[in-house]
Amino acid sequence: MRPTFLAFTLAALAAIPAAAEAQRVLGPTLDATTLRRGTLRTMILSENILLNGRWNDGRAEPLGGGLSVNLGPDDFANLSEIRDLMGALGIADVSPSLGSTRVDLRQRLAITRLGFDYGLSDRVMLRVQAPFVRVRAEGQLRLDGSSASAGINPALIGLPGAANIATGNRAVVDAYTNAVNSLTARRNACAASAGAHPECGSIIAEAALVNATIARASQFASALTTIYGAQGLSPGQQFVPLAGSSLETLLGGVGESLRTNFTRWGVTNVTATTGLPLGAQVPLIAEGLRNLITAPFGEGFGAQDIGKSSRQDLGDIDVGVTVKLFDAFAGDSARHAANSFGIRQSVGLTYRLGGGNFDIPDDFIDLGTGSGHDAIALQSITDVIISEKWWATVGLGWARGAAHERVLRMPLLNGVDLIRADRQVPVRITPANMLELRVAPRWNVNDYFGIGAEWRFRTRGEDEVVALGAPGIVPPAGATVNDGYGAMNTPSNSSEHRWAWTVGYSTLAAESRGKAGLPIEIGYTHEQSVASSRGVVPRRWEDRIQIRYYTRFLGR
């Protein structure tokens, strides 16, 4: 619903003769009051929310922390294959990396809410509220290549002046393959005749080492072919060890060890200049990373570019009822200004009609405009009136969403949002319970102004997430799709502390004494997230302006 329509609604209601109940300043936070029979309260609420960071298991970090990762084997199957091939060669604890990403991210929400509260009786109040949600996200993608040990295969991108890279790679692979053949032939000849070659004595004495060298060199030649590519044998992998990196040094060490053994037994196909196929010449740059983000599965993440994202839609609609169970000041028209201690107790039941849209799995910085699923909430609200100036509200709430289906990219670890396309899968989510405790003390400065504060603690359990099928993509030939979704990690299991301060202005007390003017309340709230002990929780900085207008409607 557009803000212009909301303004028109407020203006139309203002033309209706008003006879609102007499109360002191309620303020813009939670309270246990209910409207008198026949009273209609119209609310317009404008919220401006900035997400300027997040909590990750209690640690404060930048909002883009989930997109700021080391690009390694968990992100690219090619890097995983390099690690496995090197492990088979006896090179353990290797983790090829393209470098570390960094995303500077800002997300904003602008929400305009229109709400109506109606006193069905003095103790029963009906409520409905609908938001119009606008979201915007901006991200700047950076890449730190200082830790990189792999890069783009030059045989695939074609460096200037190096059109014959694949041919040169083939020459290196052939050198090791020919050395294997030569040593195999010498071993067999020496077994038939000890005088076949001058090195037969050493070959026969070290038969086990000779056989191991033949096997390892064959494996090494095959690994080089798979990783780097070779003319007529293999096109090679997308990423290869970076020239001069620790990864290339380890591979070169294997080749040098093989050359030493070959030379001892008279095989000279591998020389000191044979080395390795041509590695990546430079680390990946930010532009290359952007291409990987948008490249289809098998080549990249299969996602939208990390830049700007904006959406708008009607969000979740709340329909509820508040029932007042007890009021120590029933009949007191100025009950917020009582001179004695008293309590007011109400309960509220809310049903949320899920609206808006989920965040898009292919857009890493997107924000959804609503929960997209129905939910129910129950709340106990207690006003504690201490004196004419001081009172407080304590709220205890429970909420749970309905089971629903959607498509997610399932993370390997909580808090990691840069996720490959092969982790995208349709799932069924059964939300966990959420509990909330709110404490809001207030001070009525006079009949017109009140100030207050609020502390809110929210906690929820782990949602149950069940995969409904295989990933919704078709992998390229030869690719291995990771379908081990494990425990279906989600960031739902979380807790959060928020604090707020409020200022309220009200004409209700003056209007009840017959003074001219609109029966209206205006409130301002600043709220922000201050702590979390577990889960992944955005750090919110929120400002709200609320206007509430009272009138009689279908009542005496």
Side-chain angles (χ1 to χ4, degrees):
M1 194 167 291
R2 302 287 183 178
T4 52
F5 177 77
L6 300 182
F8 172 79
T9 302
L10 180 59
L13 288 171
I16 303 175
E21 57 182 311
Q23 294 185 22
R24 296 298 175 90
V25 183
L26 287 176
T29 54
L30 184 73
D31 61 73
T33 60
T34 54
L35 298 177
R36 290 178 178 176
R37 180 183 177 186
T39 299
L40 175 67
R41 180 168 65 193
T42 302
M43 179 201 73
I44 295 179
L45 176 64
S46 176
E47 300 178 68
N48 183 31
I49 303 172
L50 170 65
L51 304 183
N52 59 356
R54 70 176 194 168
W55 305 104
N56 187 357
D57 285 336
R59 303 184 310 274
E61 63 181 28
L63 186 60
L67 300 171
S68 302
V69 300
N70 179 53
L71 293 175
D74 289 337
D75 303 299
F76 295 98
N78 172 201
L79 296 181
S80 176
E81 188 168 356
I82 292 175
R83 177 191 61 191
D84 295 342
L85 287 171
M86 295 185 71
L89 291 170
I91 306 173
D93 300 324
V94 171
S95 184
S97 170
L98 297 177
S100 298
T101 65
R102 176 186 168 186
V103 175
D104 297 326
L105 179 62
R106 292 174 64 88
Q107 294 174 323
R108 289 186 178 274
L109 298 90
I111 304 174
T112 303
R113 299 182 187 271
L114 175 64
F116 298 96
D117 302 329
Y118 180 70
L120 196 62
S121 72
D122 287 354
R123 290 183 174 271
V124 180
M125 181 175 70
L126 301 180
R127 299 176 283 106
V128 62
Q129 188 179 121
F132 181 76
V133 183
R134 291 163 292 171
V135 298
R136 181 178 179 84
E138 296 180 356
Q140 185 172 14
L141 181 64
R142 306 174 189 272
L143 179 66
D144 179 3
S146 61
S147 61
S149 59
I152 298 292
N153 189 346
L156 298 180
I157 61 176
L159 290 178
N164 297 322
I165 293 175
T167 302
N169 290 351
R170 176 63 184 265
V172 174
V173 171
D174 284 348
Y176 288 101
T177 301
N178 293 336
V180 167
N181 295 335
S182 297
L183 183 57
T184 301
R186 282 180 173 246
R187 178 198 62 187
N188 295 340
C190 290
S193 172
H197 296 283
E199 298 83 9
C200 279
S202 177
I203 292 174
I204 294 172
E206 299 177 305
L209 182 57
V210 169
N211 292 334
T213 299
I214 291 173
R216 194 178 192 205
S218 297
Q219 191 177 30
F220 187 63
S222 177
L224 295 182
T225 302
T226 301
I227 295 172
Y228 292 92
Q231 182 67 42
L233 298 178
S234 169
Q237 299 282 4
Q238 183 180 10
F239 307 115
V240 296
L242 184 65
S245 68
S246 59
L247 199 62
E248 186 180 69
T249 299
L250 290 171
L251 272 178
V254 174
E256 182 60 24
S257 174
L258 292 172
R259 185 185 72 82
T260 300
N261 286 344
F262 283 138
T263 302
R264 288 175 54 205
W265 300 315
V267 175
T268 58
N269 302 85
V270 178
T271 68
T273 60
T274 299
L276 298 171
L278 185 66
Q281 298 302 292
V282 293
L284 194 67
I285 59 174
E287 183 62 31
L289 175 58
R290 246 187 316 269
N291 293 336
L292 292 179
I293 295 293
T294 58
F297 171 64
E299 300 176 11
F301 286 92
Q304 297 183 26
D305 185 30
I306 295 178
K308 294 182 179 180
S309 174
S310 62
R311 303 167 72 185
Q312 57 183 24
D313 203 349
L314 187 67
D316 300 328
I317 298 176
D318 291 343
V319 179
V321 59
T322 299
V323 179
K324 184 166 58 181
L325 302 179
F326 175 78
D327 191 347
F329 304 101
D332 181 357
S333 64
R335 53 190 180 275
H336 285 179
N339 293 318
S340 61
F341 179 86
I343 291 177
R344 180 185 302 108
Q345 173 68 44
S346 297
V347 294
L349 178 66
T350 303
Y351 191 84
R352 171 163 290 181
L353 301 171
N357 291 291
F358 297 124
D359 54 294
I360 303 172
D362 292 346
D363 189 342
F364 292 142
I365 65 172
D366 174 55
L367 283 172
T369 56
S371 67
H373 64 277
D374 294 353
I376 190 169
L378 183 64
Q379 192 170 43
S380 169
I381 314 164
T382 305
D383 288 342
V384 181
I385 291 83
I386 301 172
S387 69
E388 182 178 355
K389 295 290 187 181
W390 295 94
W391 64 296
T393 299
V394 178
L396 181 61
W398 166 90
R400 181 160 189 161
H404 56 283
E405 297 177 5
R406 62 173 300 188
V407 175
L408 288 177
R409 290 194 178 192
M410 301 306 300
L412 291 169
L413 297 172
N414 278 347
V416 176
D417 301 325
L418 199 64
I419 308 169
R420 294 182 344 207
D422 62 324
R423 299 281 301 174
Q424 185 164 305
V425 63
V427 298
R428 180 176 179 81
I429 302 176
T430 302
N433 293 329
M434 184 182 73
L435 299 176
E436 182 179 73
L437 175 62
R438 300 172 66 174
V439 179
R442 300 172 176 85
W443 176 41
N444 286 333
V445 180
N446 53 38
D447 285 351
Y448 293 94
F449 290 97
I451 60 176
E454 183 180 55
W455 167 75
R456 181 188 302 195
F457 173 70
R458 178 178 293 179
T459 180
R460 65 176 296 175
E462 180 78 23
D463 295 346
E464 179 184 317
V465 184
V466 179
L468 299 179
I473 47 88
V474 178
T480 300
V481 177
N482 183 0
D483 58 359
Y485 292 103
M488 295 290 187
N489 292 318
T490 71
S492 57
N493 186 11
S494 60
S495 68
E496 181 188 16
H497 295 266
R498 297 185 193 176
W499 72 266
W501 60 268
T502 66
V503 177
Y505 169 79
S506 173
T507 65
L508 299 186
E511 193 272 343
S512 70
R513 293 196 298 269
K515 293 187 176 182
L518 291 175
I520 194 170
E521 294 174 329
I522 302 174
Y524 169 77
T525 301
H526 172 80
E527 180 179 281
Q528 64 188 72
S529 174
V530 294
S532 172
S533 60
R534 71 178 192 278
V536 179
V537 181
R539 296 165 59 196
R540 301 164 63 97
W541 188 287
E542 183 171 350
D543 294 286
R544 300 191 293 266
I545 297 178
Q546 173 182 278
I547 301 175
R548 298 196 295 194
Y549 172 71
Y550 293 76
T551 188
R552 302 294 289 177
F553 181 72
L554 299 180
R556 296 189 299 274

